[in-house]
Amino acid sequence: TAMHCLDETCHGLREALATLRRRINLLRGDSSRSWLGRKEYWDAAYASGRYKDSYEWNQTCETIWPYVLNTLESRLDAKILHVGCGNSRLGRMLHDDGYINVLNVDYSRVVIKMMQQSQPELQFLCVDCAESGALGEADHFDFCVDKGAIDSLFESNCDSMWQQGCAMIQEIHRVLKPGGKYLVISNGGIGSDVLKATFGHMQSEEIEGYACDLYYKLITIIVCTK
């Protein structure tokens, strides 16, 4: 019928418009560093398949794994928060190594839905860590692992995203238990001054290695203790 044809035409137009919006967001992302902090970019990138089924920022999981284990101190019952999880393999590696109390969070609804569907046995939550109270009750987690999450805000090169990065650090500090540790895998240690001002103790070191973009990088490993 004419009405059925009209519905199909409207559906096709909506799909085409959604595709165009994703492409515009991706093009914006390529033109400046501000894309790093925008949810719209990440939703569009994951929906388009730009980062495929898995992508690692700031070194491979294998490279940083010894530092993760050293920070966790073999406490298999520890409550672990993995912020900015994206579609990284880190959550899977933690789970398979016996760390079952791991909450993987990201503010991209697209990637969280993808991960929930592909790995239903793991815990995933869509939440913006820069929002006060977003991560639940205070003094709850023993450890937090961050593989490029605050980097994405601090490297956006705009004041609003810098403030978001500061707010995210405050929120993570709030939900860590006293003595809890925050492991940050960072591109050059950007945000170190904010971390040092927020946490009681901070130590760092630099390592070399390849990331998935095949660039040889110098990465900063930061461990903060509340």
Side-chain angles (χ1 to χ4, degrees), residues 38 74-75 78 84 90 106 121 224:
R38 293 192 294 111
S74 300
R75 293 176 53 187
L90 185 57
D106 200 289
E121 66 276 22
C224 303

Side-chain angles (χ1 to χ4, degrees), residues 17-222:
L17 182 59
T19 299
L20 178 61
R21 285 173 176 165
R22 285 198 298 269
R23 289 178 178 174
I24 289 173
N25 280 326
L26 290 172
L27 288 172
R28 285 175 177 170
D30 290 334
S31 64
S32 73
R33 300 292 286 178
S34 64
W35 60 272
L36 281 166
R38 293 192 294 111
K39 297 179 188 179
E40 296 82 3
Y41 168 79
W42 293 107
D43 280 341
Y46 287 120
S48 71
R50 168 168 283 198
Y51 298 115
K52 306 186 187 304
D53 295 328
S54 180
Y55 191 89
E56 301 298 336
W57 296 90
N58 294 350
Q59 303 296 355
T60 64
C61 289
E62 288 75 14
T63 301
I64 59 97
W65 187 242
Y67 299 91
V68 173
L69 293 183
N70 184 58
T71 303
L72 296 179
E73 301 171 338
S74 300
R75 293 176 53 187
L76 296 179
D77 62 340
K79 294 179 179 178
I80 303 169
L81 176 66
H82 177 202
V83 295
C85 65
N87 59 3
S88 168
R89 293 172 48 245
L90 185 57
R92 164 56 64 188
M93 289 180 66
L94 286 166
H95 180 273
D96 290 351
D97 207 52
Y99 296 93
I100 58 174
N101 296 317
V102 182
L103 178 61
N104 304 280
V105 303
D106 200 289
Y107 67 3
S108 170
R109 294 187 181 277
V110 174
V111 78
I112 288 297
K113 184 177 180 180
M114 290 169 55
M115 298 303 283
Q116 287 173 333
Q117 291 175 343
S118 64
Q119 303 183 54
E121 66 276 22
L122 273 61
Q123 298 181 64
F124 292 96
L125 179 67
C126 182
V127 65
D128 187 344
C129 299
E131 294 181 2
S132 179
L135 293 175
E137 61 183 283
D139 305 332
H140 179 73
F141 292 98
D142 297 291
F143 301 99
C144 177
V145 182
D146 178 336
K147 193 164 174 286
I150 60 169
D151 274 13
S152 69
L153 298 171
F154 287 131
E155 290 187 9
S156 294
N157 296 328
C158 64
D159 291 341
S160 62
M161 291 302 170
W162 185 273
Q163 292 302 318
Q164 290 287 309
C166 294
M168 180 174 171
I169 290 173
Q170 288 291 338
E171 177 64 4
I172 290 169
H173 181 273
R174 184 184 70 81
V175 297
L176 280 174
K177 296 177 181 178
K181 294 184 178 181
Y182 180 20
L183 173 64
V184 182
I185 315 299
S186 174
N187 182 22
I190 188 169
S192 294
D193 290 345
V194 182
L195 290 167
K196 186 180 295 185
T198 305
F199 285 84
H201 180 264
M202 188 189 87
Q203 60 186 32
S204 65
E205 65 177 288
E206 294 179 331
I207 64 171
E208 299 178 2
Y210 286 98
C212 279
D213 55 15
L214 300 182
Y215 285 102
Y216 199 69
K217 294 182 175 180
L218 188 65
I219 295 297
T220 305
I221 308 291
I222 304 171

Side-chain angles (χ1 to χ4, degrees), residues 3-23:
M3 185 61 72
H4 178 71
C5 292
L6 180 59
D7 287 343
E8 287 188 345
T9 300
C10 290
H11 177 74
L13 288 173
R14 285 194 295 269
E15 289 291 318
L17 182 59
T19 299
L20 178 61
R21 285 173 176 165
R22 285 198 298 269
R23 289 178 178 174

